[in-house]
Every structure is written in C-alpha cells, then in structure tokens.
Amino acid sequence: MLKEAPSARDRNDEADTSASSAKTAKAAATFVKPREIVHADAVVALREDIRAKLVYAIGKTPEAARERDWFAATALALRDRIVDARDRAQAGTVPDKRVYYLSLEFLIGRLLSDAMNNLGLVETTRAALRDLGIDLADVEGAEPDAALGNGGLGRLAACFMESMASLSIPAVGYGIRYDHGIFRQSLENGWQREAPETWLAEGNPWEFARPEATYTIGFGGHVTMTSQGDHHIRRHWHPAETVNAVAYDVPIVGWKAKHVNVLRLWKAEADAPVELARFNAGDHVGAVAGRARAEAISRVLYPSDSSAEGQELRLRQEFFFTSASLQDLVRRHVAERGSLRSLPDHAAIQLNDTHPAIAVPELMRILMEDHDLPWEDAWQITTHTLHYTNHTLLPEALETWPVELMERLLPRHMQIIYLINWLHLEEQSKNARSGAFDVSTVSLIDETHGRRVRMGPLAFHGSRRVNGVSALHSELLKSTVFKDLHAIEPEKIINKTNGITFRRWLHNANPELTALAVEAAGEGVLDDPTLLERLVPFADDADFRKRYAAMRKARKERLAQVIAERTGVTVDPSALFDVQIKRIHEYKRQLLNLIETVALYQAIKQAPHKDWTPRVKIFAGKAAPSYVQAKLIIKLAGDIANVVNNDPEIGDRLKVVFLPNYSVSLAEVIIPAADLSEQISTAGMEASGTGNMKLALNGALTVGTLDGANIEIKDHVGAENIFIFGLDAEGVLARVKEPDYAAKAIAASARLAAALDAIGNGTFSPDDPGRFAPLVDELRHGDRYLTTVDFEDYWRVQREIDAAWKRPAQWWRAAILNTARMAWFSSDRSMREYAEEIWRVKVA
Ligand SMILES: *Cc1c(COP(=O)(O)O)cnc(C)c1O
C-alpha cells in the first residue's frame, strides 16, 4: 500500500538503512542540540538550591545521598520554581471560569521530565547536577511512576491536565491519592504475578498536603423530614458513618511555565484515629478498627480496566472523591461569588466516565440541603454545570449499582435519583413525540436483573453535554447505548476525539525525533504542532529519510538493551519491531497477533530459506487480576516466545518478547523504537485508543482495524501510509448474526486451523498440553471478538508489511508522513475543543 519511492536512486541509497550502523546512530545523537539557553548563574542557583534541599529538607549529605534522595532534592528545587511561576502568572487573580476535571484515575507516570521541560530547565538541571557529580538520567530513573490509573482512561486525564496547564485553561483535576496505584506485574514461569505498588513509600516531593482543606464524607444512616413555616418539606441526611477527605495538591506546570494548575487528590482519614474510650477499656484492636475501615477508601486503585466490578468499596471510592470535590468547588464558588445560582457561569465540571456520576444527586443534595435551594433551581444549576464523557460501549463496562446497596450506603441520594427519574419519566410519557415508545428504555433504573441504578443514563440525564471520544464512538453512542435518550435530546451527544500531549510523547520521549522536527520545521513546532506539516516535503528527501531511520535505529538499540536486561532475549535492532502494548483484553485481540505469530512460525519452518522479513514481536500489558482469559493470553505469549526464540531453525527471523510491567515509563522507551503499531481491536469496541496516536506520532506505521481513532488517523496520515484490514463496525454487527461464523472462518483457512491446532494440542505447552484449550475452544465455539473472522485479512496485510519493510525508501517516507500529519491528535486540540464547545471557557 505504501507509495512508490520517488526515484530509483533513493532506493539504492537506502537499501541498507535496516542494517546496523553505529555511525548513523551516532549522527542522530548529534542532532540533539540544546535549544534551551543555559545561563551560568541559573545553573549555580539551581545547583545550590538542590544542595540545600538535599541537606536541609532531606537531611542527607551529598556523600550519603542515594539517587532517590537526589531525585527528591531536585524535585523540591523545581517545585519552588513552579510555585514562583504560578505566583508570577496568577497571583491573586480569580479566573472568570474554572474547569473541574473529575476522574477516578490519573495515570501520570514520572513528573520530573515534564517539569524540567515546561520550565525550560532541562539543560540547566543537567548542568547543575553535573556540577554536583550526578547524572540527570540516574536521577530521572529514581522517580517512581505515579500510576494512579489502569490504562487509556487514566492516561487521558493526565494528558488533559498537562494540556490545560499549557493552554492556560484555569482547571483543577480531582481524584484519589491512592496509597497503591496499579499493581506491579512480574512474570513467574510466564504467569502474571501481582505485587503492590509503593510509589509513596518514600513520600512524594511534588505534593503539598492541605489538611486545612478537609471535608466530611457521609455513608449510610437515615433521612428525616422537616416542614418549616413555608410549607416546604426539607429532607436531611444523617449519615451513620463519616470519613474525612484530606486534600493533597500536585502543581501541574504548563508549557513555558505560563500557567500552573493543580491536581487535587483526596486521602481518606478517620474522624477519630483512635477511639480512646475503647482503647482505655483495653480493646486495643477495636479502638483502631474504624480507622482501618475509613482509610481503606484511598488504599488501592481497582485494577480492572473496561469492566465494572460492582464492589461496595468501589462505590465508596466513587462517592468519596466526588463528594469531596463538589464540596470543595462549591465552597470556593461561594467564597468568590456568593450566590450558587451563578455556578454554571463560573464552573464547568467534566465527569471522566460514569465513575463520578454520583455527582448528579450529590450536587443536588448539596444545593438543596446545605444551601437551601428549591428542587427546580438545584436541577437547573446541576444540569448546566455537569458534563459527561463516555469511554466505552462494552456492556460489561457499563456501571450499574444495586438499588439495595445504594439505599444502604447513600439513602438520600437514592431518594433524589428516584425523584429525578420520576420527573424524567413523567415528562417522557406526557411527551407526544415519544408516542409509543417504552419509557423503561430511558429509565435510570434497570428492572431487568434485579433493580439497579444505571449510572450512564444518570450521567447523561444530569449533564449539559455528553461526549464520545472518537468520531465512530460518538456515532455508536447515538445508535446503541444512548439511542433512546439521544432521541429525546438530539443535541446533547457531541464528539471530542481524544488526544495526547506531544510534550511528553514526542518532545520528552523522543528528543532525537524532536530535534529533526525542529531542524525541518523550525523552533515554532514546539509551540504549535500543526507546523509538523512542514516535514511533508522532507519525506521525499533521501538524506532526511536516512537520518530519520538512524534516529529510529538508535532507539531500537536502546530498547534491545532493555529487552535483554528484563527478559534475557537478544533481539536484532535491524529487524522490524512490531509492537502491541496496552492492557490485555480480549477485545484488543492480542490473541489475533499471537495466532498470526504461530502461523508465521509454522510458515518459516516450512520454508526456512525464503527471504523472510526479520521481525521482533513485542508485547506488554497488564491483565486484571481476576481476568482469567487475559492472564492465559499472557502465558501463551510467554510459551510461544520460549519455543520460537529457542528454535535454531528460526534464528533472527522471528523473536517474541513479553516485557513485564507495562507503565508510562516503559511506554516512553518502547514507543520511539516501534516500527509497527498494532491497533487490531474488533471494530466498534475500542472507543478511541491513544496508544495508536503516540506510536503514529513517533513514526510507527499502524496495522489496524477501522475502529476508534484509527479511522481518523487514517484520514490524517493518508490511506497509503497505514495498513487497514478486517471487518468494519457495520461488518461486525452483520457477521455476528450469521450462525457458526467462527467454524466457517476456521474451515476456510488451513493456516488458521493449523495455528489453532498447535496452540490447542500443546505444541507450546508440552508440560501441560491442555493449558490453552480454554482459549482455543472459546474461538471455535463462540469468538465474540471475531478473531477467526479477521484472521486471513490480518495475515494478508502482515505479509504486505513484510514486503514494505524491504523497500526502505517507501517505508521511511510513510513513517515521516505519519509524524508530519499527526498534529491534530495533540491533546491541546482536544482541550481547545472542550473549552470552546463544552465548557465555554476562554483559552489564552
Ligand atoms: C497510552 C497508554 C495506554 C492506552 O493505550 P491504548 O493502546 O490506547 O489502549 C495504556 N497504558 C499506558 C501506560 C499508556 O501510556
């Protein structure tokens, strides 16, 4: 599919770009010229600040300090500069309108490179540490990832926070300060093992504890009614149990330090850390039991991605952080403006998925109970302040809570939900337009599986705007999950395609490519990614292509080292690096990739002397601990790797690697080294994807289905610069209605049948031949994700990719065009659109 090379000369020039060449790798490194002007006095000042932090805040001498201590000292010195930047830019000003971004997850990763880059102090910090005899890279490596999220949803929230700061959009992010973020994954005999992650074990130098910002969060209890002289009945909630939410603020500095926002994370603390009466009576354990129960709320992040677990503690987490955040923003509004009637003019609240959907009744409750507003006014304010982003159509991911649990844990909220629902259904049954339709389809209560509150419809009904996260996903919202609600309010659903922050995923993660972009497009490209378009003509410049390829080669050599260190497998950096990195989920179809790996292995064995394109298949991703099939898929990857990597007939033609503990930091190492980006979800199931954007921006060519943002990536980079295969969303809907589609697909493909037989009969698991029978049986008899149906077309496009790799001029041309045309996927663009079309806040 790739376009012809511009000339035969180029082809000859570049015949060797895939071969190892230390010289070109070195040449790429010399592209990295510090753009930052380093002032000697700034270096001295920072050096002395870091030294002082080490000695006086950390309490260590330079001789005794570990890398982790140097990291903390450096972070503290930079944090001072972030505070100064905030005071310079915003001191004493009250913004006209603030955005409040409520998210149960923020998958931040490390903050040091963000902070240095946005402060314009990367080289200054490097020089200051060098003066102290310390290497910046070691200090960066000592920072633990803030991994307060599972995957794409949490990473999106982190990208949005960085972009809002960079665009000077006044914003507060609200979430939970989990003691333990997403678990640390290790492999034991190829099986996933989970260990607690301990990012706070040595404190967090970026945060400010704000004990003065503490709110009381209630649970359980009962509701009373009073009637005052005005004949209005007022209801009062008397919680049986209360927990304190204590604020911790992480400042988020924007590009060039023009603006600083705050990420406010809530920690759960007991009202009374010790029940003294019980303690004094000798009940030492009972005296602290309440404390353990209260603090459990912010103890650990739920490790399930794209599935709702429905545990009571999860509902407690959701209500805890939502209530604290609403109380905080209401208090701020009242302090600044007085009347809550103007809340929608000065606050826009964005709900990241339904996790904070309890905001609908909680804001109503605060307005009515704490501020004495009548129902109609409270409803008007609520529905003009809240906005909701939907992230999935998968039925197992749509949150519902049993009415019984809600009544027990949040009795007042359940009453409010009932009244909202009653008014809503009354309106619909009166509404002539809705004619014959069945109001139960738009009810906020699902009565089909016991009575449950549907959080999606609740968030939809309580919000001013509802958005999907890619063009396809937003259309599917209208035709599937919210079909009937959409018919009632056709203006409500809009699309806001996701984005990624280029400052992390290009500038910081890939300084070599950034240097090339600056050279070709000018310094302005750092401020305005649309200038990447200026790289387009360079795609036809053989010399530029060579340097682009050399950049990639250097990054692949580095990744090869990491692979060797962490897995013991040696890979050849001149092979095609084929990368699938994301949560392990059946809809993402790592299994499709693994079956193709097996089929390729069998094909190489049958024709070992054919001119195979050498490939390294690289996988990384965590499985939810309770997700049996996903964990088996990880084991399968490891078992295939053991056989393939140790088969002397295969050599370097095929290697398979599963890198443990996928994280933001690991993503930053893998992405710049990827040649091929696997985005192969069943069409209609990946809401957007953002890994696809990071990889394409860094010049990996995508092999993908017409799903989520892949469709828009194709539109931007051009159909000739991406490898599309498989059924589209419509095709999927049609195919699942056909009987025995999997059996038919297997019968039609000898290659697929042979690969499935090998996996199913124990070829890769001789110690336990039946190990993978559950995976293969599911494909043969169910195949909900149409893996078998898409296999043949996937095989076809992979062989097309093999051929394309052998034409380096075209390959690197396409790669450069990917980088050049990805600007639209900047989260700055996403945030500008939200600001203008949803929040109606000014962007500087
Ligand atoms: C970007 C990112 C994701 C999301 O990847 P998808 O391919 O869109 O699912 C998940 N985890 C991490 C660490 C990421 O950086």
Side-chain angles (χ1 to χ4, degrees):
M1 262 202 277
L2 304 192
K3 276 260 175 71
E4 275 301 298
S7 74
R9 187 184 56 83
D10 288 344
R11 190 174 308 191
N12 293 336
D13 280 356
E14 288 165 343
D16 193 40
T17 43
S18 59
S20 180
S21 161
K23 218 174 95 212
T24 46
K26 211 149 146 223
T30 62
F31 297 150
V32 186
K33 299 188 191 88
R35 292 174 296 276
E36 176 187 326
I37 300 157
V38 180
H39 297 288
D41 50 349
V43 174
V44 171
L46 183 57
R47 182 190 72 204
E48 291 313 310
D49 285 355
I50 293 172
R51 196 204 306 270
K53 294 292 185 191
L54 186 78
V55 173
Y56 298 112
I58 315 290
K60 290 265 178 103
T61 61
E63 295 71 35
R66 303 159 307 149
E67 278 158 5
R68 168 66 220 219
D69 300 317
W70 285 112
F71 156 68
T74 306
L76 289 171
L78 291 171
R79 192 182 68 169
D80 288 355
R81 285 155 175 76
I82 296 173
V83 170
D84 289 342
R86 181 197 63 197
D87 292 346
R88 264 197 310 278
Q90 288 141 266
T93 60
V94 173
D96 184 52
K97 192 169 190 178
R98 281 194 192 84
V99 173
Y100 294 105
Y101 197 85
L102 271 63
S103 180
L104 201 51
E105 302 190 8
F106 287 92
L107 186 50
I108 297 165
R110 292 172 172 152
L111 277 174
L112 183 57
S113 59
D114 266 22
M116 289 188 302
N117 185 49
N118 283 356
L119 289 165
L121 293 175
V122 179
E123 298 309 323
T124 304
T125 309
R126 195 190 309 282
L129 286 168
R130 197 190 300 120
D131 279 2
L132 293 160
I134 301 297
D135 183 358
L136 173 59
D138 294 336
V139 172
E140 289 186 285
E143 178 174 10
D145 272 34
L148 311 183
N150 276 283
L153 176 147
R155 183 55 232 174
L156 185 77
C159 282
F160 281 3
M161 287 304 297
E162 199 279 341
S163 274
M164 285 190 282
S166 290
L167 295 174
S168 301
I169 296 172
V172 178
Y174 282 120
I176 293 180
R177 182 179 176 277
Y178 301 105
D179 294 315
H180 305 288
I182 188 66
F183 63 84
R184 196 156 44 77
Q185 177 196 57
S186 61
L187 297 175
E188 202 177 296
N189 271 331
W191 293 102
Q192 170 173 295
R193 291 285 172 261
E194 303 97 23
E197 171 285 334
T198 55
W199 72 298
L200 289 176
E202 297 196 32
N204 176 6
W206 299 113
E207 74 185 5
F208 292 100
R210 302 284 190 218
E212 73 279 19
T214 293
Y215 297 90
T216 304
I217 314 299
F219 294 100
H222 65 282
V223 178
T224 57
M225 291 192 284
T226 54
S227 168
Q228 271 134 26
D230 57 5
H231 303 293
H232 276 119
I233 292 172
R234 286 183 177 73
R235 291 167 200 262
H236 302 276
W237 178 27
H238 307 276
E241 184 190 342
T242 59
V243 172
N244 287 335
V246 184
Y248 286 75
D249 288 352
V250 180
I252 306 290
V253 60
W255 175 232
K256 293 188 170 165
K258 288 183 188 154
H259 187 89
V260 179
N261 281 328
V262 56
L263 174 59
R264 175 159 277 193
L265 301 176
W266 301 105
K267 177 182 196 298
E269 285 186 0
D271 248 345
V274 191
E275 291 176 56
L276 266 185
R278 284 177 85 169
F279 184 88
N280 293 337
D283 181 6
H284 299 152
V285 173
V288 293
R291 174 175 175 184
R293 180 177 163 78
E295 294 179 358
I297 292 175
S298 58
R299 192 69 74 202
V300 2
L301 167 79
Y302 271 95
S304 298
D305 191 63
S306 298
S307 82
E309 279 198 74
Q311 316 245 22
E312 177 173 333
L313 181 59
R314 170 74 167 204
L315 181 57
R316 283 175 176 265
Q317 289 185 335
E318 294 183 353
F319 179 68
F320 165 80
F321 101 98
T322 302
S323 176
S325 308
L326 292 177
Q327 290 185 56
D328 191 47
L329 71 91
V330 163
R331 183 169 82 171
R332 183 177 302 113
H333 180 84
V334 170
E336 288 174 355
R337 312 269 171 187
S339 167
L340 275 168
R341 289 175 198 276
S342 64
L343 185 68
D345 300 331
H346 302 291
I349 299 172
Q350 191 68 37
L351 309 177
N352 195 25
D353 212 317
T354 54
H355 313 145
I358 198 70
V360 177
E362 173 65 355
L363 185 53
M364 291 292 287
R365 187 194 66 80
I366 291 171
L367 295 173
M368 293 186 299
E369 246 174 63
D370 300 351
H371 297 273
D372 222 30
L373 286 160
W375 177 279
E376 292 73 17
D377 295 8
W379 185 244
Q380 162 80 18
I381 292 166
T382 298
T383 54
H384 284 76
T385 306
L386 297 179
H387 309 84
Y388 154 55
T389 304
N390 173 282
H391 284 275
T392 179
L393 304 163
L394 296 180
E396 65 269 33
L398 299 176
E399 280 192 301
T400 62
W401 291 106
V403 165
E404 167 279 315
L405 171 61
M406 291 278 284
E407 277 174 339
R408 181 161 52 77
L409 208 63
L410 300 168
R412 178 68 185 120
H413 299 79
M414 198 58 237
Q415 289 179 344
I416 293 171
I417 291 169
Y418 277 137
L419 187 46
I420 292 172
N421 197 36
W422 186 77
L423 292 167
H424 163 58
L425 296 182
E426 273 284 297
E427 173 90 12
Q428 293 323 310
S429 45
K430 266 191 291 183
N431 196 337
R433 255 193 332 163
S434 49
F437 96 25
D438 171 9
V439 290
S440 75
T441 65
V442 294
S443 174
L444 309 184
I445 313 284
D446 176 5
E447 319 232 3
T448 58
H449 313 91
R451 298 172 64 236
R452 306 178 70 95
V453 181
R454 304 153 106 184
M455 302 309 271
L458 175 63
F460 185 109
H461 187 55
S463 293
R464 200 178 68 81
R465 288 285 180 272
V466 174
N467 75 285
V469 290
S470 72
L472 173 69
H473 170 64
S474 297
E475 286 312 304
L476 290 171
L477 282 182
K478 296 177 192 170
S479 58
T480 62
V481 274
F482 293 136
K483 186 167 186 276
D484 297 307
L485 286 164
H486 171 63
I488 297 166
E489 294 184 281
E491 309 293 300
K492 204 175 241 188
I493 297 180
I494 58 172
N495 178 55
K496 290 284 153 275
T497 299
N498 284 166
I500 55 170
T501 170
F502 284 22
R503 288 166 291 276
R504 180 178 289 262
W505 295 109
L506 180 61
H507 308 170
N508 295 349
N510 199 342
E512 296 87 351
L513 177 53
T514 304
L516 275 178
V518 165
E519 184 190 300
E523 287 261 334
V525 74
L526 300 175
D527 302 299
D528 176 6
T530 63
L531 299 184
L532 282 171
E533 189 71 31
R534 292 183 182 168
L535 264 69
V536 168
F538 287 88
D540 292 323
D541 175 336
D543 180 57
F544 191 84
R545 283 201 298 266
K546 260 193 161 151
R547 295 162 64 203
Y548 191 100
M551 166 282 289
R552 174 74 50 76
K553 190 64 174 303
R555 298 306 302 244
K556 287 165 74 174
E557 283 165 2
R558 212 147 103 209
L559 177 57
Q561 275 173 12
V562 171
I563 290 172
E565 282 162 21
R566 300 191 189 175
T567 71
V569 179
T570 307
V571 301
D572 177 0
S574 62
L576 190 166
F577 278 20
D578 170 345
V579 164
Q580 189 170 19
I581 48 173
K582 48 185 76 245
R583 286 298 287 240
I584 311 296
H585 202 295
E586 286 162 287
Y587 85 82
K588 291 177 182 278
R589 297 202 297 194
Q590 281 90 357
L591 196 48
L592 177 59
N593 191 349
L594 288 169
I595 296 168
E596 195 268 340
T597 305
V598 169
L600 179 59
Y601 171 66
Q602 292 175 329
I604 297 173
K605 297 274 288 180
Q606 271 173 23
H609 301 297
K610 230 181 105 179
D611 181 22
W612 296 100
T613 290
R615 272 199 200 228
V616 181
K617 292 252 191 188
I618 298 164
F619 295 86
K622 292 174 183 174
S626 59
Y627 193 168
V628 174
Q629 299 278 93
K631 292 175 110 170
L632 199 49
I633 290 169
I634 292 175
K635 176 61 175 161
L636 177 60
D639 282 359
I640 293 173
N642 280 338
V643 170
V644 170
N645 298 345
N646 296 309
D647 187 331
E649 238 181 344
I650 297 297
D652 275 343
R653 279 167 285 198
L654 180 61
K655 291 279 182 224
V656 181
V657 169
F658 191 100
L659 271 170
N661 204 33
Y662 185 50
S663 62
V664 172
S665 296
L666 187 56
E668 288 164 357
V669 175
I670 297 174
I671 288 169
D675 295 309
L676 185 66
S677 161
E678 299 269 356
Q679 307 300 337
I680 60 177
S681 52
T682 313
M685 296 198 184
E686 186 74 89
S688 162
T690 49
N692 49 3
M693 300 170 189
K694 300 165 197 167
L695 284 152
L697 175 64
N698 279 274
L701 304 191
T702 302
V703 54
T705 46
L706 287 173
D707 198 15
N710 294 353
I711 297 172
E712 289 152 271
I713 291 175
K714 166 178 159 282
D715 292 343
H716 280 84
V717 305
E720 68 281 9
N721 300 309
I722 187 169
F723 298 96
I724 298 293
F725 75 96
L727 292 177
D728 63 8
E730 248 180 75
V732 166
L733 286 176
R735 185 62 63 96
V736 293
K737 293 189 190 126
E738 286 181 24
D740 305 323
Y741 58 82
K744 285 180 194 158
I746 296 167
S749 168
R751 203 184 329 266
L752 172 58
L756 291 180
D757 285 346
I759 295 168
N761 73 17
T763 301
F764 302 99
S765 55
D767 56 321
D768 179 8
R771 176 175 297 146
F772 301 115
L775 294 179
V776 175
D777 289 348
E778 164 57 26
L779 290 183
R780 292 192 207 279
H781 303 118
D783 194 14
R784 186 180 154 200
Y785 303 98
L786 290 90
T787 302
T788 60
V789 174
D790 276 343
F791 175 80
E792 268 299 316
D793 204 32
Y794 182 56
W795 172 269
R796 174 198 61 74
V797 81
Q798 288 287 18
R799 302 293 75 78
E800 200 181 294
I801 290 163
D802 283 343
W805 182 252
K806 293 192 181 124
R807 298 190 296 270
Q810 286 108 307
W811 185 280
W812 295 111
R813 178 177 188 277
I816 293 165
L817 290 177
N818 267 261
T819 300
R821 294 173 174 165
M822 282 297 291
W824 190 77
F825 298 91
S826 163
S827 47
D828 294 355
R829 186 272 314 156
S830 308
M831 289 293 85
R832 247 186 227 108
E833 287 187 7
Y834 275 80
E836 285 163 12
E837 295 164 41
I838 299 181
W839 304 327
R840 300 183 287 192
V841 310
K842 277 201 285 295
V843 179

